Amino acid sequence: MRLLSTVVLALSVLGLSAQMGDSISLKTQVYLDAYSELGSNGITMGSFFDYFSASFLDEELKDELTSDLRAKNGVGSSQDLEIGFRQWRDSTYSRWRQGFGIHYAFRSRAGVNASDNAILMTLYGNARFAGQTVDLLPLDELSMNWSEIGYTHIQRSKNLEWSASANLLFGHSFNSIESEKGTVFTEESGEYIDFDTRYTFKSSDSLLLLKGMGASIHFDVSYDLKGPWRVGLGVRDFGVIAWSRSSWEVNADSTFRFEGEEIPNLFDPSNEVFTGTGDRLEKTFYNPESGSQTTFLPTRIIGEVGYTVPWNFAKEISLRTDYIFLPGYSLRNRIRLDIPLNKAWSLKPEISQGGFARWGIGIGVQWKHPDWLIQLEAQNIQWTVASASSYGIGGQLKVAYNL
Amino acid sequence: MFKRLFSLLSLALLLACQPDLSNKSWDVDILAPIATTSLDIKDITGDTLIQVDSDSSLLLVRRQKVYEFSLDDLVEPFSTTFENTAKLQTLDLGTRRINYSISLGQLAAQQGPPFGTIIVANHGNNLPFPAISIGNPITYPINANQYFQSMTLIDGWLVFELRNNLPIDLINFQYELINQQSQTLVISGTIPLIPANGSAKDSVQLNNNTVLEGSLIANLNNLESPGSGGVAVPIDTSDQLIVEVTVRDLKPFEATAIFPAQNLIDYTEEVIFETDFELSRIVVDTGVLYMQSISTVEEPVILEYEIPSATMGNQTLLLDGTLPPAAPGGTSLYNDSENIAGFSVNLNGINFDPNVKNTFFAELRARIDSSGNMVFLSLEDSIYLTTGIQGLMPSKIEGWLGRDTQTTDDEILPLFLFNDVQGGSFDLAAARITMELVNNFGADMMFRLTDVRAENQSTGQVAVLNWTELGQDLNVSSAQDDALNFKPIPNSAVWTLDENNSNSDELFDIQPDQLIYDLELILNPTGINNPTGFAYRHDPVEAWMNVEIPLHLSMDGIQLIDTSDFSYSELDPDNSLKGGRFTIIADNTMPIEAVVDLIALDSLGQPVDTLFAVETIAPAQVEADGKVYESVRSKIHYELNKSSIAQLKNATRMVFLGRYSTGDLPTQVKLYDHYSTELKLTGNFQYRVN
């Protein structure tokens, strides 16, 4: 909180000092920004829809889901819903255009990076792996939901625009699995199973809507180089959430052979068959320790280069690279073309590689008015023409209104 | 087991696939071990029955008591009761005396002038004493209230004695004694002469319910004297005429009196200890001496019941207590008892004569002490007293136990050798039985065993024992008495039955569950009286059967059955099991093949499903030296379909039914200590993940 207060104070001082002696005009904008994306690099879009529409996964569907698996399979989703307002102060004498904003956002991140073996064992069981040592790694997962209230300082000049947000976070849910080791060997007849595992499983566990609190910052900067080039850099969701004491953590580091429950004498009536095994294994694999814990947010880093093209039909071509520190999410590169149709309308087609999916095609439509901005984007629409590829679906809606 | 693993994996996938898709379900094939166990012949028959022989081969051994003859079979619990009633006619009111005196001065004063004046005036002088006649009655109260208030007498005596210390003779002394309250005459009479310085007596029998009150009036109706006849005699006005009233030998019907200490009951009685023996002593193991009494006597009554024949250390057996005084018109009660365990009772009678047997004596006393209180007692008052011994059983008897014959016909002895064997057959190579007779009695014993047969009640098979000693006299000498340690030193004899003198192995081939025999036991078979005999209650005469069966046999379909608790919910807590099969992986070092069926029972013990094994646990191969060195692996599968799973859910117990056969019948195989079957139960299940 001290850090947050310091940042807000510094930004305010900067803003006030810049206003001294100026003639000022104010411009205020309210906006809504909704973004959703989910995808996998190991499951096709068609399979995903089949999966989504089925309550029971029969053998055919399981085969379909696993037909295109890789050694490492990412599955994940990301959602943001943000509303807020921004206000700019234009100065007659200053080269800077300054502003600030306040927003509320709900954000959700979930991702898993799982080996094909882990997915196959999950869907089919261990019987098909009898006689084999199965390496389940990688097997990592992170999911987190939180909401934030933030203050943003914005500063623009002719060539440079930057903004920084300080945010107060309210954690809603959190789960993570970090696996360092995970092999399973099932003897051919099921005589024994060897486990060699080391993983950490953390979870928030509270009936309260608010399960933790934290802070984060967003920072975006864009600079127009001389000539047609433009570069940008962004860091989003850099921060931590401290989860309440009712959260818990499981640390399992175990190598052992399970041979079933030992019954000293099968003909002894005091024996009870099939008892105690669950308890013993639970202590080995699943012995949670409760207590408060602090976790980093899945930070997103964005880099962008834009080039103003001398074409009649297009305005700019840009390359955008981003990465989220989230299991299953790979570095994503996106090439986008800005095609103005007229003064108000423009199209933004794109091709992407990475992220949750392997690759994708998207299209955006933007409508601009002196007081309105409406932008609708659809990403990863390639499944309509190439269903055999990995699945992914995403979309973005931006609505802004100048008061 | 896999629930947790699949939960983690599923959670990872589902959480990543927003929106929430956790309502998905699918089937997985789980292959997992469930249980391991090791089965050997000890598990089948019970550890306590199996012993290892010197060559590591196994023996089925059981030691079982087949007969017991104890003191309880000879002696019945002894009880006896004594009843006594004490009445008041035995009461003693003692002898009571009341003195009363009349001085010469009192006579003179009562007589008045001139005689009285002259006598008084000449006190200390000598004077001729004139003739006098006192015709007016003189009344004197006599107070006996310090002894009694009233009594109604059946019998007794009242003695009236006069001692004349006056210097003159007294004549025509007329008196009467009247009860003051009732004004009834008790006694009256005339004494013609009471000489000077002499005395005279009169007495009357108090009978026919004479009432005597404690406050009496003595009337002196006439007293005359001839005087001194002109002779001067010394005049002393302190000279007295003394009257003494004595009541004695009183037999009251009722009385309100202070009673002196006295015995109400006091007698000694000999008691016969009922037995067929001639005993000189017993030591009590259990028994109670008791006393119950009821009294209407208004005095405390002290009760004592003593058996001088019974001692423990220096203490004789004594039960004593005090009956509280009864309320007027009411009764009082007193009960007491004492555990007499440990007392030694001499049975040589009241004079401790060694020639007297089975007799002890007891003394009963009831008495009152003088309390000094005035109490009312009546002939109607009584003390009812019951004393006795209840349930006396000796821990030891000493003496001649007599010659006695105990016979048992068709005595059935349950055998517990093959309880878990439900069917099939086997053929034993040999069986050895030793019969051991243990005599703890101080008397010679003779056994005679006839008609011994083994029976399998399930199959109805009977095998009759042939043994050279059947019907012969089997003698065992008397035990020695270690009296100091209160125990016998037993004497025992052993007879062996084996293939050389019997067909003992055939008895067990039919898997008998009971042995039936006729037995005759003769105590002191010579009939010679031995007064030093003895028997301890807790050391009976015993017959033991020791069975040794070398596990060298062939078997065909021997069924062994046992039950374990079964919890389906532990196997499938979420009811997610859809099908699959159990597999038993058996590593067998026993040269016995086996088929094991699993039978599920519900809470009422009724079978709900049976998982039949279609495969056999193969027997291990016996090497040239007759032993097995390597195990043979078999896999036995039990299919689980929806129906059997549904039935398993209702099961609370699982029965393992094994059918065992030696592979190469009829060759008999020898079982060794290291033989076992290692069983691993695995499951290959279709499991629905939710």
Side-chain angles (χ1 to χ4, degrees):
Chain A
M1 289 302 291
R2 181 177 293 177
L3 175 64
L4 177 65
S5 304
T6 306
V7 171
V8 171
L9 182 63
L11 292 173
S12 302
V13 169
L14 280 172
L16 289 172
S17 63
Q19 294 170 28
M20 293 175 68
D22 286 349
S23 69
I24 297 169
S25 65
L26 295 178
K27 192 174 183 181
T28 302
Q29 183 184 67
V30 295
Y31 66 95
L32 177 147
D33 192 349
Y35 176 83
S36 178
E37 176 188 12
L38 66 157
S40 167
N41 63 2
I43 302 173
T44 66
M45 196 66 206
S47 300
F48 170 73
F49 277 112
D50 290 341
Y51 171 74
F52 187 74
S53 59
S55 59
F56 178 71
L57 313 183
D58 57 19
E59 293 302 305
E60 188 180 352
L61 180 52
K62 287 194 291 186
D63 291 344
E64 181 186 336
L65 286 169
T66 56
S67 60
D68 201 26
L69 290 179
R70 303 166 138 198
K72 297 179 180 179
N73 300 276
V75 183
S77 68
S78 173
Q79 280 95 35
D80 294 87
L81 176 63
E82 181 176 327
I83 55 174
F85 78 92
R86 304 185 189 97
Q87 188 177 73
W88 286 270
R89 291 178 170 87
D90 287 332
S91 170
T92 309
Y93 303 105
S94 172
R95 52 193 284 264
W96 293 102
R97 185 185 185 208
Q98 298 174 4
F100 74 98
I102 292 175
H103 70 270
Y104 168 80
F106 175 80
R107 306 190 193 284
S108 173
R109 304 283 183 272
V112 62
N113 186 22
S115 67
D116 51 353
N117 284 336
I119 295 172
L120 290 171
M121 188 171 283
T122 302
L123 292 176
Y124 291 101
N126 69 323
R128 67 159 51 187
F129 296 102
Q132 305 172 37
T133 298
V134 181
D135 188 357
L136 300 176
L137 262 55
L139 182 58
D140 298 300
E141 181 270 340
L142 175 66
S143 69
M144 196 180 290
N145 294 325
W146 75 95
S147 54
E148 69 181 39
I149 295 174
Y151 173 85
T152 305
H153 179 83
I154 308 163
Q155 192 132 358
R156 287 179 181 171
S157 67
K158 183 180 179 184
N159 298 322
L160 178 66
E161 176 179 348
W162 62 269
S163 67
S165 297
N167 309 302
L168 179 63
L169 308 183
F170 305 97
H172 301 310
S173 69
F174 159 67
N175 282 289
S176 82
I177 299 171
E178 295 174 9
S179 302
E180 297 176 44
K181 202 164 56 169
T183 62
V184 176
F185 174 77
T186 304
E187 196 275 339
E188 204 152 349
S189 301
E191 192 175 345
Y192 59 85
I193 302 176
D194 286 334
F195 294 94
D196 187 2
T197 60
R198 187 188 304 145
Y199 64 83
T200 303
F201 180 30
K202 299 176 183 176
S203 178
S204 59
D205 185 11
S206 170
L207 296 175
L208 299 174
L209 182 62
L210 177 61
K211 298 183 176 70
M213 290 191 69
S216 71
I217 60 170
H218 307 313
F219 179 75
D220 292 291
V221 59
S222 175
Y223 185 72
D224 291 336
L225 299 172
K226 289 180 179 177
W229 295 97
R230 172 178 64 84
V231 295
L233 180 67
V235 176
R236 314 280 303 175
D237 302 322
F238 181 71
V240 295
I241 293 179
W243 300 94
S244 67
R245 290 189 175 192
S246 58
S247 62
W248 46 263
E249 178 174 334
V250 175
N251 285 293
D253 186 356
S254 179
T255 301
F256 82 105
R257 171 169 292 183
F258 177 66
E259 296 179 282
E261 194 66 18
E262 184 178 353
I263 302 171
N265 182 355
L266 196 60
F267 289 133
D268 183 349
S270 63
N271 284 322
E272 190 165 314
V273 183
F274 309 134
T275 61
T277 308
D279 291 342
R280 191 158 63 85
L281 288 174
E282 184 152 321
K283 285 177 183 172
T284 303
F285 283 116
Y286 199 74
N287 194 14
E289 295 176 2
S290 61
S292 60
Q293 49 190 300
T294 301
T295 57
F296 282 99
L297 298 179
T299 303
R300 181 195 293 257
I301 298 174
I302 305 162
E304 187 171 14
V305 176
Y307 179 79
T308 304
V309 293
W311 302 333
N312 291 332
F313 67 92
K315 181 180 176 185
E316 184 190 64
I317 186 169
S318 61
L319 171 64
R320 180 186 173 104
T321 299
D322 73 276
Y323 182 75
I324 307 175
F325 289 90
L326 188 66
Y329 195 88
S330 59
L331 189 70
R332 180 165 67 171
N333 298 303
R334 187 169 65 179
I335 297 174
R336 171 179 284 194
L337 202 57
D338 187 356
I339 304 174
L341 299 177
N342 54 38
K343 192 176 179 182
W345 292 89
S346 61
L347 289 178
K348 297 175 185 291
E350 67 175 28
I351 297 174
S352 66
Q353 179 272 326
F356 290 124
R358 292 186 201 174
W359 62 276
I361 300 172
I363 185 74
V365 178
Q366 189 181 74
W367 178 72
K368 259 187 171 180
H369 180 270
D371 294 325
W372 285 92
L373 171 69
I374 298 175
Q375 181 173 316
L376 182 64
E377 293 183 11
Q379 294 151 354
N380 296 330
I381 59 173
Q382 72 280 6
W383 59 276
T384 57
V385 293
S387 63
S389 70
S390 65
Y391 95 76
I393 188 167
Q396 185 171 19
L397 172 65
K398 284 186 176 181
V399 178
Y401 177 70
N402 296 319
L403 297 173
Chain B
M1 172 190 64
F2 277 86
K3 182 184 175 187
R4 190 63 62 193
L5 179 60
F6 279 99
S7 297
L8 288 172
L9 292 172
S10 303
L11 179 70
L13 292 176
L14 295 175
L15 286 173
C17 298
Q18 302 286 342
D20 184 13
L21 301 177
S22 60
N23 58 348
K24 305 293 183 192
S25 64
W26 66 96
D27 292 342
V28 293
D29 291 325
I30 302 297
L31 179 61
I34 297 172
T36 64
T37 188
S38 178
L39 185 65
D40 60 28
I41 201 72
K42 294 173 186 171
D43 297 325
I44 296 172
T45 58
D47 273 346
T48 55
L49 294 179
I50 295 293
Q51 289 186 5
V52 181
D53 211 350
S54 56
D55 66 345
S56 297
S57 65
L58 297 175
L59 295 169
L60 183 63
V61 176
R62 182 167 176 82
R63 176 175 167 82
Q64 190 168 352
K65 189 187 288 186
V66 298
Y67 180 74
E68 181 179 292
F69 180 72
S70 72
L71 190 55
D72 288 8
D73 298 316
L74 289 173
V75 179
E76 294 290 327
F78 176 77
S79 299
T80 188
T81 300
F82 313 105
E83 295 184 356
N84 297 93
T85 303
K87 294 283 188 177
L88 268 188
Q89 59 263 38
T90 61
L91 288 174
D92 178 12
L93 272 173
T95 298
R96 307 298 189 189
R97 288 188 175 84
I98 304 161
N99 292 316
Y100 200 84
S101 59
I102 305 169
S103 68
L104 180 60
Q106 288 174 309
L107 281 173
Q110 192 173 37
Q111 201 60 22
F115 169 75
T117 306
I118 293 169
I119 293 301
V120 171
N122 287 283
H123 173 70
N125 299 325
N126 288 333
L127 184 73
F129 205 105
I132 60 172
S133 175
I134 302 172
N136 298 327
I138 304 172
T139 298
Y140 300 96
I142 297 176
N143 188 355
N145 281 315
Q146 69 269 34
Y147 302 118
F148 61 90
Q149 289 180 352
S150 70
M151 60 179 81
T152 301
L153 297 168
I154 298 171
D155 199 2
W157 286 91
L158 185 145
V159 179
F160 200 83
E161 181 177 4
L162 295 169
R163 286 198 296 276
N164 181 9
N165 294 327
L166 301 180
I168 54 175
D169 293 343
L170 298 175
I171 60 174
N172 294 328
F173 183 87
Q174 295 179 8
Y175 67 93
E176 60 183 14
L177 200 60
I178 298 170
N179 286 317
Q180 184 179 20
Q181 188 175 0
S182 61
Q183 290 297 306
T184 54
L185 178 65
V186 178
I187 183 176
S188 65
T190 301
I191 299 175
L193 172 64
I194 310 171
N197 297 316
S199 65
K201 282 186 179 178
D202 195 6
S203 62
V204 63
Q205 190 172 6
L206 303 173
N207 54 8
N208 297 326
N209 294 328
T210 302
V211 174
L212 192 64
E213 296 179 356
S215 296
L216 298 166
I217 296 172
N219 288 330
L220 183 57
N221 294 330
N222 184 61
L223 178 62
E224 299 174 19
S225 174
S228 61
V231 178
V233 296
I235 303 298
D236 185 347
T237 56
S238 64
D239 287 345
Q240 293 179 321
L241 173 64
I242 298 171
V243 180
E244 185 177 85
V245 178
T246 301
V247 288
R248 60 178 172 82
D249 300 335
L250 300 177
K251 292 184 178 177
F253 174 76
E254 60 183 26
T256 301
I258 297 172
F259 288 85
Q262 58 197 279
N263 288 338
L264 302 180
I265 303 171
D266 187 357
Y267 67 88
T268 301
E269 187 174 62
E270 281 195 329
V271 182
I272 304 299
F273 185 77
E274 299 290 346
T275 174
D276 296 332
F277 316 135
E278 294 181 10
L279 301 181
S280 57
R281 191 173 83 96
I282 63 170
V283 178
V284 179
D285 190 27
T286 60
V288 172
L289 183 69
Y290 65 91
M291 179 163 62
Q292 300 168 337
S293 53
I294 303 172
S295 172
T296 61
V297 178
E298 294 180 25
E299 281 281 318
V301 179
I302 298 163
L303 303 170
E304 292 178 346
Y305 183 61
E306 184 175 13
I307 301 178
S309 302
T311 57
M312 186 158 57
N314 296 323
Q315 174 194 354
T316 59
L317 180 55
L318 172 66
L319 191 62
D320 58 355
T322 300
L323 252 170
T331 59
S332 64
L333 304 173
Y334 177 77
N335 295 325
D336 196 9
S337 64
E338 184 173 335
N339 184 350
I340 60 174
F343 275 90
S344 171
V345 184
N346 183 289
L347 299 177
N348 293 136
I350 194 167
N351 297 317
F352 299 97
D353 180 355
N355 295 318
V356 176
K357 304 292 183 184
N358 301 338
T359 306
F360 65 93
F361 68 101
E363 294 174 353
L364 176 62
R365 292 182 290 273
R367 60 187 169 82
I368 57 173
D369 278 342
S370 178
S371 64
N373 297 326
M374 190 71 67
V375 294
F376 173 78
L377 298 179
S378 164
L379 281 184
E380 300 300 320
D381 287 331
S382 62
I383 302 166
Y384 179 77
L385 189 61
T386 302
T387 55
I389 295 170
Q390 182 68 40
L392 187 152
M393 273 301 295
S395 59
K396 182 187 180 186
I397 60 175
E398 292 178 0
W400 164 239
L401 303 186
R403 187 182 190 281
D404 191 19
T405 301
Q406 302 281 331
T407 303
T408 56
D409 292 328
D410 290 338
E411 183 76 11
I412 294 175
L413 172 71
L415 296 175
F416 303 102
L417 286 165
F418 309 105
N419 279 19
D420 294 328
V421 179
Q422 301 291 315
S425 62
F426 55 71
D427 182 24
L428 296 170
R432 184 165 58 246
I433 304 172
T434 55
M435 292 291 301
E436 182 182 3
L437 303 177
V438 181
N439 185 7
N440 281 303
F441 278 15
D444 293 340
M445 298 278 175
M446 189 180 81
F447 295 83
R448 195 175 291 136
L449 196 60
T450 56
D451 193 15
V452 179
R453 54 201 187 278
E455 182 177 356
N456 183 325
Q457 295 182 92
S458 302
T459 63
Q461 288 178 284
V462 175
V464 178
L465 175 67
N466 296 318
W467 180 34
T468 54
E469 296 295 322
L470 277 183
Q472 303 298 312
D473 295 342
L474 309 175
N475 291 295
V476 190
S477 302
S478 165
Q480 302 298 309
D481 189 6
D482 184 2
L484 198 62
N485 294 310
F486 201 71
K487 66 177 184 180
I489 301 170
N491 204 348
S492 61
V494 175
W495 294 268
T496 301
L497 293 75
D498 56 23
E499 60 275 19
N500 297 319
N501 61 4
S502 73
N503 62 339
S504 55
D505 58 325
E506 294 176 9
L507 289 186
F508 300 105
D509 281 345
I510 65 167
Q511 304 164 34
D513 54 6
Q514 62 182 23
L515 199 67
I516 306 168
Y517 59 89
D518 296 343
L519 177 71
E520 195 174 15
L521 166 68
I522 302 171
L523 196 68
N524 287 316
T526 63
I528 300 171
N529 188 321
N530 174 17
T532 62
F534 64 88
Y536 289 88
R537 185 185 188 190
H538 301 295
D539 292 286
V541 175
E542 296 172 341
W544 289 85
M545 178 179 72
N546 302 305
V547 178
E548 283 186 13
I549 302 174
L551 292 182
H552 185 190
L553 73 172
S554 62
M555 61 175 73
D556 182 16
I558 287 292
Q559 287 187 11
L560 298 171
I561 187 166
D562 217 324
T563 307
S564 289
D565 286 343
F566 173 80
S567 173
Y568 180 83
S569 61
E570 287 286 339
L571 176 69
D572 183 20
D574 301 323
N575 282 327
S576 301
L577 191 61
K578 300 300 172 190
R581 68 182 182 184
F582 286 122
T583 299
I584 287 181
I585 302 170
D587 293 314
N588 193 11
T589 52
M590 286 199 280
I592 303 172
E593 66 178 26
V595 178
V596 179
D597 294 335
L598 307 180
I599 304 171
L601 302 181
D602 62 15
S603 58
L604 300 175
Q606 298 299 315
V608 293
D609 193 26
T610 300
L611 302 177
F612 291 105
V614 294
E615 298 115 324
T616 301
I617 298 175
Q621 295 300 311
V622 180
E623 301 299 331
D625 61 355
K627 292 186 178 179
V628 172
Y629 294 100
E630 287 189 5
S631 65
V632 172
R633 169 165 284 201
S634 307
K635 293 181 181 177
I636 317 298
H637 302 290
Y638 303 89
E639 295 299 328
L640 286 174
N641 52 35
K642 284 185 178 178
S643 168
S644 56
I645 291 171
Q647 298 300 337
L648 279 179
K649 291 175 182 175
N650 299 321
T652 59
R653 284 182 291 168
M654 185 71 82
V655 174
F656 294 84
L657 172 63
R659 298 187 298 279
Y660 295 82
S661 301
T662 43
D664 191 15
L665 290 168
T667 303
Q668 291 166 324
V669 296
K670 207 168 192 178
L671 302 184
Y672 289 88
D673 188 33
H674 69 278
Y675 287 2
S676 69
T677 304
E678 304 296 325
L679 297 175
K680 290 171 183 168
L681 179 65
T682 68
N684 190 346
F685 303 128
Q686 282 80 55
Y687 203 78
R688 179 149 299 176
V689 178
N690 290 298

